[in-house]
Amino acid sequence: MQALADQARLSDPQFVERLEAAIDARAAKLGIVSETDALFISSAKDYVSLLTRTREQGAAEPDHQSITE
């Protein structure tokens, strides 16, 4: 995933901003009417942040041992 996010950022410098804008647009369309809605939007933003971090921003290094087990 990290390699894909890195490649996407190289080919589209606004990649992360466009993902965040899509989440915001979806939230605006749905309307936040419950705590569950707010939690879903917050979680989506957290996942985007986690998946698009650069190594300099503290992206997690893959744990190859657990992948091969």
Side-chain angles (χ1 to χ4, degrees), residues 48-68:
V48 165
S49 175
L50 241 164
L51 292 172
T52 58
R53 283 184 185 166
T54 63
R55 296 190 196 287
E56 293 80 27
Q57 292 171 322
E61 292 294 324
D63 180 358
H64 298 291
Q65 183 177 5
S66 67
I67 293 171
T68 58

Side-chain angles (χ1 to χ4, degrees), residues 2-65:
Q2 185 66 46
L4 290 173
D6 290 345
Q7 183 61 38
R9 253 192 316 281
L10 287 173
S11 63
D12 179 1
Q14 274 106 27
F15 172 67
V16 176
E17 291 82 5
R18 289 187 317 106
L19 286 175
E20 291 169 347
I23 293 169
D24 290 337
R26 183 70 175 161
K29 183 177 178 181
L30 293 174
I32 303 297
V33 294
S34 71
E35 188 175 324
T36 302
D37 295 336
L39 182 60
F40 176 80
I41 296 301
S42 176
S43 293
K45 288 180 178 185
D46 288 346
Y47 284 123
V48 165
S49 175
L50 241 164
L51 292 172
T52 58
R53 283 184 185 166
T54 63
R55 296 190 196 287
E56 293 80 27
Q57 292 171 322
E61 292 294 324
D63 180 358
H64 298 291
Q65 183 177 5

